[in-house]
């Protein structure tokens, strides 16, 4: 019956704030700016919001903190934090809440001043007792383990992983809002400082500030608002572990389950998707998710990206904003995937605009732990 949600809710407003660096501002201040911006984008106001969906890295009760800060008294609240994939998960829960009449206007929001507050790429999660003796440098250590295993098992090379970063930069160079722009070569990535073998600094995501928000309403209402609606066609969530040492296979993520669930709900297949927004916290992520979501065979992801397939003009449109590697990554990146997908589906992406009617957003949380896939489209029915 999950297919009953297909096209029943739509994203009506989006906004970002404090992107890159927001000195002197707190995470909730820039979150509030993004929230108000997204509502204005939709032609709505704070008084219209009765559903709040929020996760951050600094609030123990994020949805309550956001509601209080904005002066909202919601009748539906969701603050489940499963890491960077929380926001793709919220698209599913918000669509269900809207369809059930539990709320009428759902605000999904995130904010972080990670760069100006410290500027370190560090895990926001508590230590795992069974990992502590080995002194992991999470989140990087877990992803380095996955990269090393993929290299050993499938012959993937550092050059192939570097191709992911180079492709992301090519897209970022078309995006005036991207934090990191300018030339980047495979050699640049390979020569950059090693952080956790085999991942160098340029294999790792940016550390930035930034906030984002989106507003969801039922499809019939969305058609009467300011912007072209972007419909939630399908979504799926999966998780196999919390600690990376419990990951059944370091080369296979739970995206291999969340993706098919999302495709089934949406009634589409991988080949129907025009835009892929993949959570590229590290270069290995893009390779793993391309494989697990059905865009190339397992083990072929490195050679696939090295062929130029995800460069501008390549076989697939992937991370058109520049991704977490070159555009923005303020601790959790999942909501920025959604913002870029909506921007593209509306035809508002400027120089980086691609032809797109269906977009896939794939969020990742923890050390390749939670996986959430959402499929968005310009039409409620296909």
């Amino acid at each position: 019956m999950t297919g009953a949600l297909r096209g029943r809710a739509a994203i009506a407003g989006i906004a970002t704030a404090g992107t890159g660096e927001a000195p002197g501002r707190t995470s909730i201040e820039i979150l509030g700016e993004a929230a108000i911006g997204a509502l204005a984008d939709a032609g709505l106001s704070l008084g219209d919001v009765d559903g709040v969906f929020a996760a951050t890295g600094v609030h123990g009760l994020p949805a309550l903190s956001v509601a209080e800060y904005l002066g909202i008294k919601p009748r539906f609240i969701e603050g489940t934090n499963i890491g960077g994939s929380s926001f793709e998960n919220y698209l599913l829960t918000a669509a269900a809440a809207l369809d059930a009449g539990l709320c009428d206007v759902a605000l999904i929001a995130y904010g972080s001043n990670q760069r100006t507050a410290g500027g370190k790429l560090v895990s926001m999660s508590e230590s795992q007792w069974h990992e502590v003796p080995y002194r992991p440098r999470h989140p990087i250590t877990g992803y380095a383990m996955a990269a090393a295993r993929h290299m050993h098992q499938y012959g993937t090379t550092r050059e192939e992983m570097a191709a992911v970063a180079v492709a992301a930069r090519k897209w970022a160079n078309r995006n005036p809002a991207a934090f990191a722009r300018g030339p980047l070569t495979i050699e640049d990535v390979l020569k950059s400082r090693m952080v956790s073998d085999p991942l160098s600094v340029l294999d790792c995501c940016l550390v930035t500030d930034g906030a984002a928000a989106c507003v969801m309403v039922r499809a019939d209402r969305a058609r009467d608002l300011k912007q072209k609606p972007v419909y939630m066609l399908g979504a799926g969530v999966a998780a196999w572990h919390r600690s990376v040492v419990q990951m059944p296979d370091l080369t296979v993520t739970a995206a291999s389950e969340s993706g098919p669930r999302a495709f089934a709900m949406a009634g589409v297949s991988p080949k129907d998707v025009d835009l892929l927004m993949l959570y590229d916290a590290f270069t290995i992520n893009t390779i793993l998710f391309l494989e697990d979501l059905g865009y190339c065979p397992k083990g072929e992801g490195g050679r696939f990206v090295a062929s130029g397939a995800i460069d501008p003009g390549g076989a697939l449109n992937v991370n058109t904003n520049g991704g977490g590697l070159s555009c923005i990554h303020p601790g959790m990146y999942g909501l920025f995937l959604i913002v870029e997908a909506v921007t593209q589906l509306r035809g508002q992406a400027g120089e980086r605009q691609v032809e797109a009617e269906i977009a896939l957003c794939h969020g990742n949380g923890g050390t390749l732990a939670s996986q959430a896939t959402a499929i968005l489209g310009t039409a409620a029915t296909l």
Side-chain angles (χ1 to χ4, degrees):
M1 293 297 293
T2 55
L5 288 177
R6 184 191 303 118
R8 301 277 293 175
I11 297 172
I14 54 169
T16 61
T19 56
E21 293 182 325
R25 304 180 68 191
T26 67
S27 59
I28 204 161
E29 286 174 342
I30 57 174
L31 181 153
E33 182 183 338
I36 292 169
L39 287 162
D41 187 52
L44 297 169
S45 67
L46 283 171
D48 295 310
V49 178
D50 58 356
V52 173
F53 300 72
T56 74
V58 295
H59 299 98
L61 303 171
L64 296 181
S65 296
V66 169
E68 179 184 76
Y69 182 77
L70 295 173
I72 298 168
K73 296 180 179 179
R75 59 192 180 103
F76 192 91
I77 305 169
E78 170 64 291
T80 303
N81 188 342
I82 57 172
S85 63
S86 298
F87 310 94
E88 284 68 32
N89 182 44
Y90 291 160
L91 292 182
L92 179 60
T93 54
L98 288 163
D99 195 57
L102 299 176
C103 64
D104 296 320
V105 177
L107 172 67
I108 302 173
Y110 173 75
S112 169
N113 63 341
Q114 186 175 25
R115 183 178 182 86
T116 53
K120 299 290 185 181
L121 181 58
V122 295
S123 174
M124 295 180 290
S125 303
E126 73 282 3
S127 299
Q128 301 296 294
W129 67 268
H130 50 289
E131 296 179 358
V132 169
Y134 302 98
R135 301 177 66 186
R137 188 178 181 180
H138 283 324
I140 302 169
T141 299
Y143 291 88
M145 290 170 60
R149 182 62 190 178
H150 205 277
M151 292 171 72
H152 169 78
Q153 193 161 324
Y154 299 112
T156 306
T157 66
R158 286 196 62 216
E159 288 82 359
E160 290 167 348
M161 288 191 293
V164 174
V166 171
R169 181 62 61 85
K170 290 177 180 178
W171 282 111
N173 286 336
R174 300 183 176 199
N175 180 8
F179 187 74
R181 304 180 75 199
L184 183 69
T185 67
I186 300 289
E187 193 65 18
D188 291 334
V189 179
L190 298 179
K191 286 185 175 180
S192 64
R193 177 173 55 87
M194 187 64 70
V195 180
S196 185
D197 193 4
L199 300 179
S200 73
V201 168
L202 292 175
D203 284 295
C204 302
C205 63
L206 302 170
V207 178
T208 70
D209 298 339
C214 74
V215 176
M216 289 186 75
V217 297
R218 283 183 285 277
D220 56 354
R221 185 174 188 181
R223 288 188 281 269
D224 296 327
L225 296 178
K226 283 175 61 175
Q227 299 287 353
K228 174 183 176 181
V230 171
Y231 299 93
M232 204 288 286
L233 301 179
V237 181
W240 294 345
H241 65 281
R242 165 65 178 82
S243 167
V244 72
V245 301
Q246 298 298 321
M247 194 170 176
D249 182 335
L250 287 167
T251 70
V252 181
T253 75
S256 58
E257 288 187 354
S258 67
R261 289 170 186 159
F263 286 126
M265 183 187 294
V268 301
S269 67
K271 65 180 175 58
D272 297 315
V273 174
D274 306 304
L275 169 66
L276 291 169
M277 293 302 302
L278 307 178
Y279 200 116
D280 59 339
F282 302 90
T283 51
I284 188 62
N285 291 39
T286 301
I287 291 171
L288 293 174
F289 298 150
L290 285 169
E291 294 173 348
D292 292 342
L293 292 170
Y295 288 92
C296 62
K298 177 55 63 179
E300 292 295 321
R303 288 174 281 280
F304 183 72
V305 298
S307 73
I310 65 172
D311 288 14
L316 296 176
N317 297 310
V318 177
N319 294 341
T320 51
N321 61 344
L325 291 166
S326 276
C327 180
I328 187 169
H329 199 294
M332 296 182 191
Y333 175 55
L335 192 43
F336 297 89
L337 300 169
I338 296 167
V339 168
E340 174 66 9
V342 172
T343 300
Q344 289 281 355
L345 292 172
R346 286 179 176 178
Q348 298 173 343
E351 185 184 351
R352 68 187 188 279
Q353 182 68 50
V354 300
E355 293 186 15
E357 295 183 355
I358 299 176
L360 180 152
C361 299
H362 182 76
N364 163 76
T367 47
L368 291 171
S370 66
Q371 305 296 324
T373 310
I375 298 173
L376 307 177
T378 58
T381 57
L382 301 172

